[in-house]
Amino acid sequence: MGFLIRILVSALAAMATAYLLKPAVEVNSFVTALVLALVLALLNALVKPILLFLTFPVTVVTLGLFLFVINALIILLAAKLVPGFKVDGFWWAMLFSIVMTIINSVMISLAGANND
C-alpha cells in the first residue's frame, strides 16, 4: 500500500513541478504523470545503482554533488521513454529533479507514507 501511495504522490509532485517549470517542462496529463512516476521508480531501482557504482570516484571527489548530474540524467532518460513528458535540456532536468524531490518529500510527509 505504501508503494501505491508513493507513486500517486510522485505523480502529483511531477504535475506540480511541471506546472512550476511551465515552458521548459511539460506533462500532458495525470496518466502521463502516473507513467512517469512508475518509470522513475524503475529507473531509480535499476539504472541508478549502476550509475552510482560506475561514477563512485567522481561522486567522492565532488563530495556527492555529482548525484545531481545522475538525477538529471535519469530525468532525461525518463523523458525519452515516457510519451507526453518533455524536458528542454540538462539544466531544466536538474532543476526538475531538485524541485520534484522537495515537493515529493513534503507531500509524502503530509500523506504519512513514511511509516512503512
Side-chain angles (χ1 to χ4, degrees):
M1 188 67 165
F3 177 74
L4 292 176
I5 291 173
R6 284 192 181 106
I7 293 297
L8 287 173
V9 169
S10 292
L12 289 172
M15 292 287 291
T17 305
Y19 179 77
L20 290 174
L21 305 176
K22 190 67 146 184
V25 178
E26 184 179 313
V27 176
N28 287 345
S29 67
F30 185 70
V31 174
T32 302
L34 279 173
V35 172
L36 174 64
L38 285 170
V39 168
L40 285 175
L42 284 172
L43 289 175
N44 283 328
L46 300 174
V47 176
K48 192 172 183 177
I50 296 168
L51 289 175
L52 290 174
F53 179 75
L54 293 174
T55 62
F56 182 72
V58 176
T59 304
V60 170
V61 169
T62 62
L63 303 175
L65 291 176
F66 194 73
L67 294 174
F68 288 117
V69 173
I70 292 174
N71 287 337
L73 292 174
I74 295 287
I75 296 294
L76 289 173
L77 182 59
K80 297 275 188 205
L81 295 174
V82 178
F85 175 57
K86 177 187 78 80
V87 179
D88 277 348
F90 174 79
W91 294 109
W92 286 108
M94 188 176 291
L95 185 60
F96 179 85
S97 172
I98 293 168
V99 172
M100 185 172 161
T101 300
I102 293 168
I103 292 173
N104 203 10
S105 298
V106 170
M107 290 175 78
I108 284 180
S109 68
L110 290 175
N114 285 349
N115 297 338
D116 54 312

